[in-house]
Amino acid sequence: MSDEGKRIDGKLIAEDVVAIAKAHTEKLVATKGVVPGLAVIIVGEDPASQVYVASKGRKAKECGFHSVQHTLPADTSEADVLTQVQALNEDAAIHGILVQLPLPKHIDENKVIQTIAPEKDVDGFHYMNVGKLGTGDVSSAFVPCTPTGSMILIRRVLGDDLSGLNAVVIGRSNIVGKPMASLLLSANCTVTIAHSRTKDLEGLTRTADIVVAAVGRPEMVKGSWIKKGATVIDVGINRIDAPERGEGKTRLVGDVDYQDALDHAAHITPVPGGVGPMTIALLMGATITSACRHADFETPDF
Ligand code: NAD
């Protein structure tokens, strides 16, 4: 079945978010003389992390930000990483600080994250921001970028009023599942969080007007689990073997069986090209938002 009219084009919507961030940056610079600054700390040489950090740096420059990267050797002590974070906390040119995870095992990740000044915590992992989101203070919190981006995709297809819709979030991680559920709850959805111990996941998912899958299991959610007309947001990114493309080749799939789900869903995100591009776009969104708050300037609306 063709996905025409059903596919939520995350790549296109992410480009729109970046364009808004860029235009707002120009306004902020012209009005207040403030250039948004994003600093990324990376410890060690994990190749996947290097790729992510490089693309964040490129996107930041594209938005007109001041972008800095601190690459520390894998054997950097925890104390030295904390010192680096504290220096960035005090640096007036920096409005967003991001520590690329995972960190080497000898460093306590949580200690590092909780050292980031909450008002520069663009990833939204500091307890202050987690608490704000949990108490419904969404407008002044920093919320993790993947669920924020997923919410924008939902609103682009369903509009702003999500009141009373049943939402099932599959996955309860602190990075995706839990903040996603909080955002949907703040938008007046009736929210259920499902996880590895949930009974009758299939039946539960079938009650949902909005399904968000954030599990990390290739094509686990089948078409028959999806209610007719539901909106499906597939956060999962899974690399599987693709012998049909040649020996040793692989391809990316989501947590939802896309072709199967097309028969049931009204709107669905593909993998790749759905939620993925939104995550980095919303990191730019959080950085310009932080700079605007700092400069007492109107924040952008994505
Ligand atoms: P995680 O491993 O921290 O959490 C997975 C969750 O899935 C857990 O809460 C677990 O309870 C639940 N789960 C596991 N098996 C299950 C089952 N059989 N039935 C129901 N629930 C089950 O993962 P995460 O960090 O939340 O990421 C989830 C997926 O999203 C991964 O594929 C990850 O790569 C992807 N991801 C994508 C982006 C993006 O930008 N698109 C960002 C973050 C994560």
Side-chain angles (χ1 to χ4, degrees):
M1 186 179 183
S2 157
D3 63 359
E4 218 183 308
K6 294 195 169 193
R7 184 168 56 99
I8 306 174
D9 191 338
K11 201 163 165 269
L12 207 66
I13 300 172
E15 279 170 14
D16 191 31
V17 168
V18 169
I20 295 170
K22 199 173 163 186
H24 210 86
T25 297
E26 283 166 12
K27 271 206 278 180
L28 179 67
V29 173
T31 317
K32 296 277 186 176
V34 172
V35 179
L38 175 65
V40 182
I41 300 176
I42 176 168
V43 187
E45 268 113 50
D46 176 56
S49 294
Q50 303 261 9
V51 172
Y52 292 141
V53 167
S55 64
K56 285 167 187 172
R58 271 197 305 274
K59 202 54 91 181
K61 288 200 181 103
E62 188 186 325
C63 289
F65 297 173
H66 163 57
S67 165
V68 290
Q69 181 180 329
H70 295 274
T71 307
L72 308 175
D75 61 357
T76 305
S77 69
E78 182 181 285
D80 284 350
V81 177
L82 294 176
T83 302
Q84 180 66 74
V85 171
Q86 274 148 355
L88 292 168
N89 284 345
E90 281 153 30
D91 185 342
I94 296 299
H95 306 96
I97 303 171
L98 188 146
V99 177
Q100 185 65 41
L101 302 178
L103 290 172
K105 284 197 172 55
H106 66 278
I107 301 174
D108 181 342
E109 275 184 5
N110 195 42
K111 197 167 172 185
V112 173
I113 286 165
Q114 301 311 325
T115 302
I116 298 173
E119 69 278 9
K120 296 189 179 187
D121 168 39
V122 281
D123 256 341
F125 297 155
H126 191 284
Y127 292 146
M128 182 81 88
N129 288 309
V130 176
K132 282 185 175 184
L133 175 62
T135 51
D137 183 3
V138 178
S139 60
S140 84
F142 283 113
V143 180
C145 300
T146 301
T148 303
S150 300
M151 258 336 255
I152 290 175
L153 296 180
I154 293 170
R155 287 208 152 103
R156 292 276 172 123
V157 293
L158 295 182
D160 276 341
D161 184 12
L162 307 178
S163 286
L165 294 178
N166 285 341
V168 170
V169 178
I170 314 176
R172 58 174 161 183
S173 71
N174 291 332
I175 298 177
V176 188
K178 282 185 205 151
M180 188 72 224
S182 295
L183 286 174
L184 288 161
L185 190 60
S186 287
N188 298 321
C189 291
T190 303
V191 184
T192 310
I193 304 179
H195 47 79
S196 53
R197 307 288 176 89
T198 295
K199 290 188 180 131
D200 189 18
L201 179 61
E202 182 178 338
L204 178 69
T205 307
R206 219 175 281 124
T207 66
D209 304 303
I210 299 170
V211 178
V212 180
V215 182
R217 287 182 163 238
E219 299 178 327
M220 180 187 87
V221 177
K222 303 298 173 198
S224 60
W225 299 22
I226 307 295
K227 181 165 130 180
K228 268 270 177 268
T231 297
V232 179
I233 304 295
D234 191 352
V235 181
I237 302 177
N238 310 287
R239 190 167 283 286
I240 61 167
D241 291 337
E244 72 282 2
R245 292 187 178 180
E247 207 189 306
K249 296 281 184 201
T250 60
R251 66 188 173 98
L252 293 181
V253 296
D255 290 343
V256 179
D257 186 333
Y258 186 75
Q259 279 306 324
D260 201 18
L262 275 178
D263 285 338
H264 304 261
H267 309 285
I268 181 166
T269 60
V271 177
V275 174
M278 292 299 282
T279 299
I280 184 159
L282 267 300
L283 173 64
M284 303 306 130
T287 306
I288 171 74
T289 298
S290 177
C292 289
R293 285 178 188 161
H294 167 82
D296 207 12
F297 189 66
E298 60 175 300
T299 53
D301 196 5
F302 299 107

